[in-house]
């Protein structure tokens, strides 16, 4: 059965719930969020800074073939508990999208499967709706498909 | 006219808007949020860590007369623009209160007056309502009164 990311966005709320089950052991799923090389493989952006610790911070960057930066995002890491949770801020640079607060929880299902529970909180309903309008739900499913593909080679 | 902090909390929302005008120049109001010694005077807690910069972090601590820690809070600083804005996370340690995202905007009104616009976003409506239940609105007004009192000595 093909797995799919579920994005729940209740009307008039400033939050989104994202859940996805993976055919990956918990430790590999977590690795997908903390290893710069692996992040680049499934997200397509380079983690030019990634301090995996409480009160750390991070920065992603994507360049085109000419070396021009075409995407940048950054944030802080409020909390970091290996194989359990990451609480972080997220912002795309030079865009009208605001800063959001993300709660990522990593759950072991079986020895070979795991689940990501992500709760994203926005400054406003309008901020959140902007994300939905650009097809965020489809984008995150595609990214998670790629995550599965990249990480299962490491099993 | 005595100034008062206005706390707006719409029903079923996971956010609070806090505004307060101060009889202080903008620079002094901002100083109240970045100077460890001054923070201690109006908040009653010691800033044991306060990195006033983008991707910095902070920690507040209050001890009783016996030296026992009775209050601790911590967070990251997502964005820091002097005399304009601070975007930060906030969490009280060892409490059921969750992590919140705070947008602080500092506004010049006249040469001698300024305004704080604070937008706090919570993980859930229940999280926010917990804060209201402990009388957060009264607490923040008292704290701001104390801020005014401490800072006006520096004018």
């Amino acid at each position: 059965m093909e797995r799919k990311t579920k994005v729940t966005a209740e009307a008039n709320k400033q939050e989104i719930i994202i859940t996805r089950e993976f055919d990956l052991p918990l430790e590999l799923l977590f690795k997908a969020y903390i290893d710069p090389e692996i992040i680049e493989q499934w997200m397509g952006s380079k983690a030019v800074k990634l301090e995996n610790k409480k009160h750390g911070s991070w920065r992603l960057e994507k360049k085109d073939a000419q070396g021009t930066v075409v995407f940048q995002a950054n944030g802080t890491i409020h909390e970091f508990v290996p194989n359990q949770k990451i609480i972080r801020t997220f912002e795309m640079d030079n865009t009208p999208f605001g800063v959001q607060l993300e709660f990522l929880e990593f759950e072991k299902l079986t020895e070979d499967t795991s689940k990501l529970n992500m709760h994203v909180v926005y400054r406003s309903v309008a901020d959140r709706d902007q994300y939905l309008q650009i097809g965020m739900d489809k984008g995150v499913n595609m990214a998670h498909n790629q995550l599965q593909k990249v990480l299962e080679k490491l099993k």
Side-chain angles (χ1 to χ4, degrees), chain A:
Chain A
M1 185 194 72
E2 200 186 337
R3 297 197 185 269
K4 203 169 180 296
T5 299
K6 192 177 162 195
V7 177
T8 308
E10 234 180 279
N12 301 316
K13 298 282 283 178
Q14 60 204 86
E15 63 180 358
I16 289 178
I17 309 283
I18 297 168
T19 58
R20 167 83 178 223
E21 294 184 8
F22 291 92
D23 292 311
L24 297 169
L26 172 65
E27 290 71 18
L28 267 190
L29 172 59
F30 193 73
K31 202 179 166 97
Y33 284 83
I34 61 165
D35 184 308
E37 281 183 30
I38 292 175
I39 286 171
E40 193 166 2
Q41 287 177 52
W42 73 269
M43 293 198 69
S45 295
K46 198 176 174 64
V48 291
K49 174 161 82 164
L50 184 58
E51 300 166 339
N52 292 312
K53 60 174 187 181
K54 186 174 179 72
H55 291 186
S57 57
W58 62 272
R59 176 170 287 284
L60 290 179
E61 209 175 84
K62 187 179 184 159
K63 289 180 179 171
D64 65 12
Q66 284 71 46
T68 308
V69 174
V70 291
F71 171 80
Q72 268 184 307
N74 82 91
T76 56
I77 297 171
H78 178 90
E79 192 166 349
F80 185 86
V81 184
N83 299 319
Q84 284 183 40
K85 66 173 162 180
I86 298 170
I87 302 176
R88 66 185 185 193
T89 61
F90 177 98
E91 181 184 23
M92 286 198 282
D93 296 23
N94 310 313
T95 69
F97 297 98
V99 181
Q100 60 201 49
L101 182 60
E102 301 186 337
F103 300 82
L104 287 81
E105 280 152 12
F106 301 85
E107 190 185 335
K108 176 180 178 165
L109 297 177
T110 66
E111 289 302 321
D112 304 312
T113 61
S114 54
K115 189 177 175 190
L116 169 71
N117 300 290
M118 200 169 160
H119 187 164
V120 186
V121 178
Y122 299 82
R123 183 165 182 174
S124 67
V125 176
D127 263 25
R128 187 212 54 179
D129 288 349
Q130 269 194 127
Y131 267 96
L132 296 173
Q133 279 155 18
I134 56 164
M136 188 263 217
D137 47 343
K138 286 174 198 71
V140 72
N141 183 57
M142 282 169 59
H144 285 164
N145 289 349
Q146 184 65 10
L147 186 166
Q148 173 71 43
K149 215 169 128 184
V150 167
L151 272 290
E152 68 190 8
K153 291 178 198 158
L154 303 177
K155 274 204 283 194

